[in-house]
Amino acid sequence: MEKESIDQLARRLAASVPEGLRSMRTDLEENFRSVLKSGLSRMDLVTREEFEVQQAVLARTRQQLEALEKRLDAIGSAGPAERKAGATHEGVPKKKASSGKKKSKKKKAAKKDP
C-alpha cells in the first residue's frame, strides 16, 4: 500500500475519534499510521506492477494450455490408421522399441537349423 494511502486512512481514523479525544488527534493519527504500516508489512502483499506481470504470465500459460489441449484432442480423434502409423505432432514417425526377446528367439532358431 502506498504511503499516501496509509496517511489518508490514518487521517480518516483520527477524524472518526469521538469529540472528547480530539485533543489527542495528532498522537492518534501517528499511532494509527504506525499500526497500519506494521500490520501491512507483516502481510505478504505484492505491488500492482508485480501483480500485473504475474497476471500476464498466467494469461500466456492459459493460452499455451488451451493450444496443447487442442493438439491432444486432435491426436485423440485421429483415426486408427493414423495412430498405428505412429505419426507424431511433427509428422515424424515414432521409432519402435526393440525387444530383447525377439532377438533371442531368432538366435535359438538359428542354432537349431545347422
Side-chain angles (χ1 to χ4, degrees):
M1 190 173 236
E2 294 180 22
K3 185 179 181 332
E4 297 164 0
S5 299
I6 292 173
D7 290 342
Q8 288 175 354
L9 188 54
R11 274 189 232 112
R12 283 188 203 165
L13 288 170
S16 67
V17 172
E19 288 295 324
L21 299 175
R22 294 268 178 181
S23 61
M24 299 173 28
R25 183 176 177 186
T26 306
D27 289 338
L28 285 171
E29 191 173 325
E30 287 299 318
N31 288 336
F32 287 143
R33 190 174 291 113
S34 296
V35 169
L36 288 169
K37 283 181 182 178
S38 68
L40 290 171
S41 68
R42 281 185 264 138
M43 294 180 175
D44 192 18
L45 302 174
V46 296
T47 65
R48 186 65 166 161
E49 183 180 339
E50 291 170 321
F51 176 79
E52 289 172 355
V53 166
Q54 289 304 312
Q55 192 175 28
V57 168
L58 179 59
R60 279 194 310 264
T61 303
R62 282 184 180 153
Q63 289 173 345
Q64 290 173 345
L65 177 61
E66 289 170 1
L68 288 172
E69 286 174 341
K70 287 178 185 176
R71 286 173 56 189
L72 186 59
D73 287 343
I75 291 170
S77 64
E82 291 171 337
R83 282 189 292 235
K84 278 188 178 181
T88 64
H89 65 278
E90 292 105 3
V92 178
K94 293 181 185 176
K95 291 183 179 179
K96 291 187 177 182
S98 62
S99 169
K101 292 180 182 179
K102 289 183 181 179
K103 288 182 181 179
S104 64
K105 286 182 182 179
K106 288 180 183 177
K107 287 180 182 178
K108 287 180 184 178
K111 288 181 182 178
K112 289 181 183 179
D113 288 336

